[in-house]
Amino acid sequence: MSDDSHERNGHESVPSRSRRRFPEISSRAYEHPADRSALVALRRLSGFDTVFKALSGLLPERSLRLLFLSDSVRVSDAQFAHLNDMLRDACYILDLAKVPPMYVTQDPQPNAMCIGLDEPIIVVTTGLVELLDEEEMRAVVGHEVGHALSGHSVYRTILLFLTSLALRVAWIPLGNLAIMAIVTALREWFRKSELSADRAGLLVGQDLRASMRGLMKIAGGNHLHEMNVDAFLAQAEEYEAGGDLRDSVLKILNALPRSHPFTTVRAAELKKWAESRDYQRIMDGHYPRRTEDKDTSVSDSFRQSAASYASDVKNSKDPLMKLVSDLAGGAGDLGGRVRRGFGGFASGGAPKDSTPPQDGPPRGEDPDPTP
């Protein structure tokens, strides 16, 4: 557990092993730059403020809380005591003053969420509780506490209601296209916020192997003896670098309807962060404090996010990202590369034109028009 025995703001010591604590840590310390930039883009989306204000007053949050209270098991010293210990310790480590209520709900699908407009509540499914061991579950609880500290629960709740209760908000005078644009933007932010929460989970558990095991189990079930971390991460490498431009487009289309990033990608992102100087600085006690949040410039945060995106594009092995990087760098023969990359879409096989053209396509023509 945390470094010392403690009893503060409802947090009580649960001895296990020594873990570092991060007093007054700001969520900026662990938030993924893509999370912050996606949220900035979401807030700038036309119509978002209107929907947000309308839903804030309409969503039956009290009903939601009563539903979990009546039909789920509330975690406490008397029920799921081991989860309650993990929850209080996670809040102590991340210095979250008020411990959010936590419920276990009957569902064989492994899942967890942090929702709520006024105050966050954490929900975990029985499928997840039965799948993970203690240290893996600790990372998940820390993941959800990270969502609470970052204030993610508000936007996650709005996405939940917009997607699952769409008929109830159909009367809002924005039109279906506008609603779907907001849902798509929310999903994009939702996926990025998961990368931030994974980092929070690692700060709480402080055991990268446990975080990796948990992600592997979510992907492949309770068969760790049949799985290998290095091979699992190699899948992420193959996923990112493999294929051509057609595969890059298919990756985007596959990701659009998802609420979470692909599991191998999450594992690779978390491992990369765990090996970074940023993570080590936090573990050494050097991190932004909440007292400094009011002095943080939104434009500076956006510039940092943009710089992170630019670095990701530059270093990415994905064919589409390489093309974008070359375009930004002024590389020649991009038209020919696009034609060769997409040529196989029409036939489903290899690109039709394997000979590089000397010049780009004639002006005004599509490099490879598809039917």
Side-chain angles (χ1 to χ4, degrees), residues 267-309:
E269 283 281 345
L270 186 60
K271 184 173 185 293
K272 182 169 65 175
W273 188 68
E275 295 171 348
S276 71
R277 180 171 174 77
D278 289 340
Y279 174 73
Q280 190 56 55
R281 282 180 58 82
I282 296 174
M283 297 303 294
D284 291 340
H286 305 294
Y287 52 82
R289 264 69 173 177
R290 282 169 231 164
T291 52
E292 305 164 0
D293 284 350
K294 62 181 184 300
D295 301 321
T296 303
S297 167
V298 174
S299 59
D300 286 345
S301 296
F302 193 75
R303 279 195 292 269
Q304 292 172 8
S305 301
S308 175
Y309 265 122

Side-chain angles (χ1 to χ4, degrees), residues 32-215:
H32 194 285
D35 171 11
R36 294 198 295 271
S37 60
L39 191 56
V40 169
L42 172 65
R43 288 168 174 163
R44 291 183 176 182
L45 186 66
S46 176
F48 176 75
D49 285 343
T50 304
V51 171
F52 182 82
K53 291 175 182 176
L55 290 178
S56 295
L58 290 173
L59 293 183
E61 184 174 10
R62 291 179 66 87
S63 173
L64 189 66
R65 291 176 183 274
L66 288 171
L67 176 63
F68 285 118
L69 187 62
S70 64
D71 205 32
S72 300
V73 176
R74 183 163 60 188
V75 171
S76 67
D77 286 331
Q79 301 184 118
F80 289 100
H82 72 293
L83 294 181
N84 197 42
D85 292 342
M86 291 180 195
L87 175 62
R88 288 184 299 187
D89 201 59
C91 292
Y92 182 78
I93 289 173
L94 294 181
D95 201 13
L96 186 64
K98 187 172 182 179
V99 179
M102 182 176 179
Y103 295 89
V104 176
T105 188
Q106 173 64 33
D107 187 342
Q109 181 71 28
N111 199 9
M113 58 182 173
C114 179
I115 56 176
L117 296 175
D118 298 327
E119 295 181 352
I121 61 175
I122 295 173
V123 181
V124 297
T125 66
T126 51
L128 189 69
V129 174
E130 292 164 3
L131 177 65
L132 305 183
D133 68 23
E134 180 178 353
E135 293 305 307
E136 295 157 7
M137 194 68 198
R138 190 183 306 280
V140 169
V141 172
H143 174 112
E144 299 306 326
V145 170
H147 279 311
L149 181 59
S150 289
H152 288 163
S153 62
V154 173
Y155 300 99
R156 294 165 72 88
T157 304
I158 289 177
L159 177 60
L160 175 67
F161 277 88
L162 278 178
T163 52
S164 64
L165 304 177
L167 292 178
R168 297 190 183 184
V169 298
W171 59 271
I172 295 178
L174 292 175
N176 290 334
L177 289 178
I179 293 292
M180 288 311 301
I182 292 172
V183 168
T184 300
L186 273 167
R187 280 181 175 151
E188 168 64 12
W189 164 78
F190 195 113
R191 290 189 292 270
K192 303 306 183 186
S193 74
E194 288 297 305
L195 302 178
S196 297
D198 283 344
R199 294 177 174 186
L202 180 59
L203 290 177
V204 167
Q206 297 172 28
D207 185 344
L208 179 61
R209 292 174 299 175
S211 293
M212 290 290 160
R213 291 198 311 268
L215 289 170

